[in-house]
Structures are given as C-alpha cells and as structure tokens.
C-alpha cells in the first residue's frame, strides 16, 4: 500500500480555534507523493481553514504540519510556496488589472528567481513569455493571453487561478474548491483537466470539494471532514459506503435539499 | 499598440527637444517654471512608484525630498562638493532615510501605513526645525554656491539657463531609469502587489520586503529631486520637509494619472502652471486648486493622461 511510504505531507493533530469555535479539531492526515487526494465535507466543515494552516495563511492553534518531514506550521506563505506547496483559492484570487499572461508571469518571475531584475524589460524576456504561454495553452487560455484579466468570464478566471499555481511548479498542488460556482459542464471540464495534468507530471493533488460526487471519479483517496474533525478516510467507494459518512455528510445534504 | 508606443516616444522626444531649446526663445521666467515642473515631476514620479505602482499611499515623502535638498545644500556649503557628487549623495541619502523609515512603515498596510509615513515625515521636519546649529532652523541652509559639476564637465551652473538644461538632462535620465524599473520583472511584481499582495505572497514573494525595496527606490529618486531643488531655489528650507510638501506628489500623481508612468510629470505641469497662472491674479490659489482637484476626482478619476489613454485604447 502507498500508506507505507514516507508521506510527502502530513499533519499531526492540527487544530484551529476561532474564539469558542474549533474550526479544525485535531486533524491528522498524510499525503503520499503523486496521489490525488480529495478533502470533502459540507460547507463549514473546516476545509479552507485546514488549507490555510497548511499553506501558511493561518498559524495553527496547535499541531504540526510536516512537509518532507520538517515542520512548516506557522511559516509565512512565501516560504511555504518556495518550498513546493502551491495553492489556489476558493474565492477567485487573480490580478484583474494585469493581462492574463502577466498573471502567470508574476508566478514565473518569482519561481525563476527573476523578481529582483530591475533593469531587464519584462516584454523582452522571451523565456518568460514562452513559458507563460505554454502554461496558458495547457489550460486552453492561450488565445486570451493579451486580455485584461478583469474582462474574463468567471470560468476562465478559475482556470487562470490554476495556471498561476502551476507556474511555480509545486510538488503539491492544493486546490480549494476549484469548481466552486462553475456549471456542471465547466466542472466536468476542470476535473478532466486535472486528470490530464496529473498524467503529464507527477504532481501530488490535494483538492477540496463540498459536493462529494464531483471528485469521486478523480480522487484516489478521499478524506472526509465534518465539523472540524476527520470522519473517515479511504478509497472513494469505501467512503461512500461508510455509514458514518452517509449519516453525517449525506445527511446534511439531504437536510439541505429538503429545506 | 506598438504604433501607439512609437507615437508616444516621438511625442516625448519632440517635447524634450523643445524643452532643451526653451532658453533660446522663452523669457527667463519660464525657464524657472519649466525647471520647477521637471524637478517636482521627478519627485512625483519617484513617489508614484510607491503610490501608483505598489499601491501604498505615503504622506511622508517630503522627508526624502527635503533630506536630499539638505544633503546637497550642506555638501555645497561646507565642502564645495562638485554638484554631480552632491546629487549622488542626495540620491543615496534619500534611499537610506527611506530604508530606515520604511523598515517600520512597511510592517503596516493601508491607512496605518499612511499614518506612519505622515508621523515619520513630521518627525524629520521637526528635527530640521529644532536642530538649529546643524540645519539652520527655520531659515534652512543658504549662502551656498554651485561651483563645478564634476565628471570633467565644464558648466557655468550659476547661469540659470545652464542649470535648467542640466536639470532637464538629469530628470530625463532619472525618469528613464525609473521607467525601466516599472517595465521590469520587478515592476510586474510591484503592480501585482498593488492589486493583491496576498496572492503574490503565495507565489513565493516576501511581500513586505518588496514593499521596502519599492519604498527605498522611491525615496532615492525623491532625494535626487530634492538635491536638484536646493541649488535651484538657493535654499534648503524646512518647508521642503513639511507635510504639505508631501501632499504635492499625491496631488500631481492624481491630477496626471497615477496608473501611467508620465502621469506625475503631467500632473506636475498642471500643478505648477496653474499655480503660476492663478497666483498672478489672485492669492486664493488653494481655492482654485481645490476646485480643479474636486472636478478631476469627480469626472476624470484616472487623471488627465490616464483618461486620455483610456479613450484612445477604447477607440483604437
Ligand atoms: N477567519 C475566520 N475567523 C473566524 N471564523 C472562521 C474564519 N474562517 C473560517 N471560520 C469558521 O470556521 C468554520 C470552518 O470554515 P471553513 O474552513 O471555511 O469551512 P469549509 O471550507 O469547509 O466550508 C466555519 O464555521 C467558519 O465560519
Ligand atoms: Mg471552504
């Protein structure tokens, strides 16, 4: 089993409290290199908070985050990004004032160590341009390279969000609800895209999703969070059959749809 | 797009040539006006690296401008330093002071950043005002003479026309340098930070440190502008350090358009020309400036140049 290898990322009793609310409650997980793991759970389960702690946006109240065995909990975002963990955001987080290509180039400039080039002309850096366009092409955004990002459709902005993450060539690609707000077709396209990206390169994908059906065909392993706690973990089918998950997670959904 | 760039370059070249020959046909008075536009334009463009490009409103930039003025004035007064070296010292001094002040300010963001720059600016002002034995108190530093330029150039800098032409060359070179920075990979990072610093951090950039870099470069160019200003007005006075002096580059950037590189220069021209013209028939210059500013903010929010370029882009 993959479980026996040293995990690339693991957390140990990771906890975040906001005042009286424990948003993430002693969650311990492990990701193996090259896996596609989905973190699912209804809205408010604590997925984004968990991501925020792993990626450095929030300092954990307690617990550890081990990346290649060393504790990165509480480190600033730029150090964690440099180390090889890239993330996207549930709420679209792109640069609307920049062109689409420039959005990707921000990440490339950083990743290629070119961010202190004061007297080089960005527009004349062929490598930066080619690389940016390659990434855009992988996401089918190449025809929009010169457009101001603010003019893009919501779906295209979600793809650009992904392009920015890929540009820093992370070992772990953390996507926080990459299909949030997309139509069913767009959602299917994004899932297909992730599958293709994974086939191209050995990324470790870590994806959150509130709708468990979306990731069932994609994820090799599923973690289920509910009210801050890790409820179950296993292969998609196992998790689907798990009565506790059905009760807690699907129960919530049924209540939602009944209401 | 590139045709437009060519057109703008040609236009700038024509303006620069016309400015170079200004002393040949314009009355002396206009040489002073033009020199002031250039120097304050450089100050505003330096300021706008932090404001327009990095998205941080500083209300303390007079500290760097005034410090640059004092550095050059003192070097000329006490050491007869060739002007070129005095100006380099003003550039370095402005950058160094910005490093010290910026070290604290970039820890804060938005209005707190702005308030802290204002506070530091006031501190620098009162030091200059109180430390009479060193700074000349409220009289400032006067009585210095501009001797040689240095670098093997033989210029009669006492001649206002020559000093003006030197100013034109230095401002053009410094402006070019600043422009290159804005179109560099570093400049892209600054523009991205202006819109969304957090997203930039998640690409691996230590945002606070890059804010400081921007602040230091901005302070250095402001210091250089101050260094040019002192021999021009023949005084380094605490007024150049006053918070109202910090407001000028803000107004100029907004008048011209803070989202464009040349906006602050255009804003400086509008500001100085309006001031010159209006004060020639009324003392209530501030009232008119207020009205112009209010109209601009209401109807031309992206500034004169910014709005013009927007229009062109929409049509072209
Ligand atoms: N910055 C914050 N301050 C206070 N409470 C928060 C904050 N972020 C999230 N929460 C709370 O933590 C809980 C988990 O939220 P979140 O992690 O966003 O869940 P999910 O991403 O699974 O929908 C929610 O009750 C939410 O209101
Ligand atoms: Mg969430």
């Amino acid at each position: 089993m993959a479980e026996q290898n040293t995990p690339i990322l693991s957390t140990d009793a990771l906890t975040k409290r906001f005042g009286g609310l424990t948003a993430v409650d002693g969650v311990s997980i492990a990701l193996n290199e090259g896996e596609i793991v989905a973190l699912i759970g209804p809205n408010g389960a604590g997925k984004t908070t968990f991501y925020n702690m792993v990626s450095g946006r929030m300092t954990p109240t307690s617990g550890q985050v081990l990346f290649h065995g060393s504790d990165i909990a509480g480190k600033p975002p730029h150090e964690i990004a440099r180390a090889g963990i890239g993330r996207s955001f549930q709420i679209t987080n792109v640069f609307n004032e920049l062109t689409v290509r420039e959005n990707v180039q921000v990440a490339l400039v950083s990743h290629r160590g070119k961010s202190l080039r004061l007297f080089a002309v960005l527009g004349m850096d062929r490598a930066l341009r080619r690389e940016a366009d390659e990434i855009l092409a992988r996401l089918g955004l190449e025809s929009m390279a010169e457009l101001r990002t603010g003019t893009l459709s919501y779906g295209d902005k979600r793809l650009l969000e992904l392009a920015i993450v890929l540009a820093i060539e992370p070992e772990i690609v953390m996507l926080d609800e990459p299909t949030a707000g997309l139509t069913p077709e767009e959602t299917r396209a994004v899932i297909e895209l992730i599958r293709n990206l994974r086939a191209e390169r050995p990324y470790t994908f870590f994806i959150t999703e509130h709708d468990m059906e979306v990731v069932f065909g994609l994820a090799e392993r599923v973690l289920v969070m509910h009210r801050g706690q890790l409820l179950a973990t296993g292969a998609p089918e196992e998790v689907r059959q798990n009565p506790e998950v059905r009760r807690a997670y699907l129960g919530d959904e049924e209540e939602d749809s009944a209401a | 797009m590139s045709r437009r760039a060519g057109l703008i370059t040609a236009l700038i070249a024509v303006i620069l040539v016309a400015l170079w020959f200004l002393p040949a046909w314009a009355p002396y008075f206009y040489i002073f006006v033009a020199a002031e536009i250039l120097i304050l334009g450089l100050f505003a463009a330096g300021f706008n690296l932090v404001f327009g490009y990095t998205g941080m409103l500083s209300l303390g930039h007079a500290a760097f401008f005034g410090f640059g003025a004092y550095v050059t004035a003192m070097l000329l007064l006490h050491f007869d330093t060739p002007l070129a070296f005095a100006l380099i010292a003003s550039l370095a001094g402005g950058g160094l002071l910005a490093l010290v002040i910026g070290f604290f300010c970039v820890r804060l963001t938005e209005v707190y950043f702005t308030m802290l720059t204002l506070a530091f600016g006031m501190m620098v002002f009162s030091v200059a005002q109180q430390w009479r034995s060193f700074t000349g108190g409220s009289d400032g530093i006067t009585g210095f003479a501009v001797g040689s330029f240095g670098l093997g150039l033989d210029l009669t800098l006492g001649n206002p026309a020559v000093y003006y032409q030197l100013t034109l060359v230095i401002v053009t070179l410094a402006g070019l340098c600043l422009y290159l920075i804005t179109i560099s990979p570093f400049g892209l990072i600054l523009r991205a930070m202006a819109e969304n610093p957090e997203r930039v951090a998640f690409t691996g950039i230590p945002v606070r440190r890059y804010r400081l870099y921007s602040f230091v470069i901005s302070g250095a160019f402001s210091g250089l502008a101050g260094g040019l200003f002192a021999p021009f007005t023949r005084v380094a006075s605490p007024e150049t350090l006053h918070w109202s002096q910090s407001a000028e580059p803000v107004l100029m950037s907004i008048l011209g358009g803070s989202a464009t590189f040349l906006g602050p220069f255009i804003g400086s021209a509008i500001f100085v020309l309006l001031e010159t013209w209006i004060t020639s028939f009324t003392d209530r210059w501030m009232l008119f400036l207020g009205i112009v500013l209010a109209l601009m903010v209401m109807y031309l929010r992206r500034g004169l140049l910014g709005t013009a370029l927007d229009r062109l882009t929409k049509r072209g």
Side-chain angles (χ1 to χ4, degrees):
Chain A
M1 274 301 291
E3 246 75 331
Q4 278 147 8
N5 301 336
T6 351
I8 182 169
L9 181 88
S10 62
T11 64
D12 182 25
L14 202 59
T15 299
K16 182 74 189 179
R17 274 191 277 278
F18 298 114
L21 173 82
T22 306
V24 175
D25 191 0
V27 172
S28 303
I29 64 146
L31 301 187
N32 300 304
E33 204 160 341
E35 265 189 311
I36 302 185
V37 177
L39 175 63
I40 62 172
N43 284 324
K47 305 181 295 294
T48 296
T49 306
F50 184 77
Y51 263 40
N52 286 343
M53 289 190 285
V54 172
S55 64
R57 201 188 203 186
M58 286 177 180
T59 307
T61 308
S62 63
Q64 284 188 318
V65 181
L66 300 175
F67 180 55
H68 286 300
S70 57
D71 193 6
I72 57 166
K75 287 207 172 169
H78 70 266
E79 283 184 27
I80 293 177
R82 280 271 153 90
I85 301 179
R87 73 163 288 181
S88 74
F89 294 81
Q90 183 173 351
I91 296 165
T92 308
N93 210 347
V94 293
F95 306 102
N96 285 312
E97 298 294 325
L98 305 182
T99 66
V100 171
R101 181 185 291 125
E102 283 173 334
N103 265 264
V104 179
Q105 282 176 329
V106 170
L108 284 174
V109 163
S110 166
H111 182 58
R112 296 285 172 227
K114 292 180 172 175
S115 52
L116 278 179
R117 297 210 172 158
L118 267 66
F119 297 106
V121 177
L122 175 73
M124 282 170 24
D125 191 324
R126 288 226 210 96
L128 272 181
R129 186 187 166 118
R130 183 170 28 79
E131 223 180 325
D133 288 353
E134 273 166 19
I135 293 168
L136 289 175
R138 281 163 78 194
L139 299 180
L141 294 172
E142 67 274 25
S143 63
M144 300 168 199
E146 315 259 322
L147 295 180
R148 205 181 68 90
T149 302
T151 63
L152 258 55
S153 73
Y154 179 75
D156 288 336
K157 282 187 191 175
R158 294 301 295 172
L159 291 176
L160 183 57
E161 175 92 40
L162 190 53
I164 297 171
V165 179
L166 296 181
I168 66 168
E169 298 187 304
E171 285 179 69
I172 303 180
V173 183
M174 294 175 58
L175 306 178
D176 195 359
E177 303 212 16
T179 65
L182 297 185
T183 64
E185 295 102 88
E186 287 173 327
T187 299
R188 269 193 296 279
V190 167
I191 297 297
E192 193 52 39
L193 189 71
I194 293 171
R195 194 173 287 132
N196 292 340
L197 290 171
R198 171 58 169 48
E200 282 170 31
R201 279 175 218 194
Y203 298 110
T204 304
F205 269 107
F206 191 27
I207 301 165
T208 77
E209 185 50 65
H210 67 272
D211 178 355
M212 55 170 25
E213 294 307 320
V214 167
V215 286
F216 265 162
L218 177 70
E220 292 154 0
R221 207 151 57 85
V222 176
L223 312 172
V224 186
M225 257 182 108
H226 184 58
R227 299 195 179 141
Q229 294 183 328
L230 196 63
L231 200 63
T233 157
E237 269 319 306
E238 268 174 71
V239 166
R240 214 205 294 256
Q241 307 301 336
N242 185 321
E244 226 181 327
V245 173
R246 292 183 82 91
R247 225 179 2 259
Y249 185 89
L250 301 175
D252 277 11
E253 294 238 310
E254 271 154 28
E255 276 166 37
D256 282 356
S257 50
Chain B
M1 191 66 198
S2 87
R3 229 184 100 204
R4 205 181 86 187
L7 214 71
I8 291 174
T9 313
L11 193 66
I12 293 169
V14 168
I15 291 173
L16 288 177
V17 169
L19 284 173
W20 176 262
F21 290 108
L22 195 68
W25 51 272
Y28 251 37
F29 175 72
Y30 286 102
I31 297 171
F32 284 102
V33 172
E36 191 174 352
I37 290 174
L38 288 169
I39 295 171
L40 294 181
L42 177 61
F43 176 29
F47 158 85
N48 198 44
L49 188 72
V50 161
F51 177 58
Y53 284 91
T54 322
M56 307 186 294
L57 173 58
S58 161
L59 284 181
H61 261 56
F64 316 126
F65 180 74
F67 189 66
Y70 275 84
V71 166
T72 285
M74 284 183 177
L75 287 175
L76 293 180
L77 182 66
H78 299 301
F79 304 104
D80 286 324
T81 310
L83 184 66
F85 298 107
L87 290 177
I88 291 170
S90 287
L91 180 89
L96 215 61
L97 185 63
L99 180 65
V100 174
I101 292 178
F103 177 80
F104 298 99
C105 295
V106 297
R107 276 148 209 281
L108 306 181
T109 55
E110 290 162 22
V111 71
Y112 305 100
F113 167 83
T114 303
M115 295 321 288
L116 200 57
T117 57
L118 182 63
F120 273 108
M122 286 171 160
M123 283 185 240
V124 173
F125 170 77
S126 50
V127 168
Q129 186 114 351
Q130 310 287 317
W131 195 0
R132 218 156 268 158
S133 59
F134 189 57
T135 62
S138 48
D139 298 334
I141 311 272
T142 51
F144 53 88
V146 198
S148 66
F149 179 72
L151 305 177
L153 283 178
D154 185 21
L155 303 172
T156 31
L157 294 172
N159 178 349
V162 175
Y163 190 79
Y164 159 76
Q165 283 176 324
L166 177 72
T167 299
L168 178 63
V169 171
I170 292 175
V171 168
T172 304
L173 291 177
L176 201 63
C177 203
L178 254 178
Y179 178 67
L180 279 175
I181 292 174
T182 65
I183 61 169
S184 71
F186 173 75
L188 176 68
I189 299 293
L190 298 190
R191 285 190 290 141
M193 283 185 347
E195 188 180 337
N196 191 342
E198 187 176 47
R199 193 72 188 84
V200 176
F202 280 98
T203 67
I205 297 287
V207 166
R208 200 186 276 175
R209 199 181 319 152
Y210 276 68
R211 283 201 178 117
L212 184 58
Y213 295 153
S214 169
F215 200 73
V216 168
I217 296 168
S218 170
F221 282 96
S222 303
L224 174 63
L228 281 169
F229 198 63
F232 169 66
T233 55
R234 307 203 167 277
V235 56
S237 78
E239 272 151 54
T240 57
L241 293 160
H242 194 250
W243 62 267
S244 58
Q245 184 75 51
S246 290
E248 277 185 20
V250 184
L251 301 179
M252 290 170 179
S253 298
I254 292 173
L255 283 174
S258 63
T260 58
F261 179 75
L262 287 175
F265 285 99
I266 309 267
S268 170
I270 301 173
F271 187 91
V272 174
L273 289 175
L274 269 182
E275 182 179 24
T276 310
W277 178 55
I278 294 170
T279 44
S280 69
F281 60 83
T282 166
D283 291 336
R284 278 169 242 142
W285 134 248
M286 278 294 163
L287 174 67
F288 284 89
L289 177 66
I291 292 170
V292 170
L293 200 67
L295 289 173
M296 296 280 295
V297 172
M298 282 192 289
Y299 299 108
L300 295 177
R301 193 162 297 163
R302 287 171 53 81
L304 203 64
L305 186 61
T307 309
L309 288 179
D310 283 353
R311 294 261 160 92
L312 275 175
T313 315
K314 250 172 232 152
R315 259 182 226 153

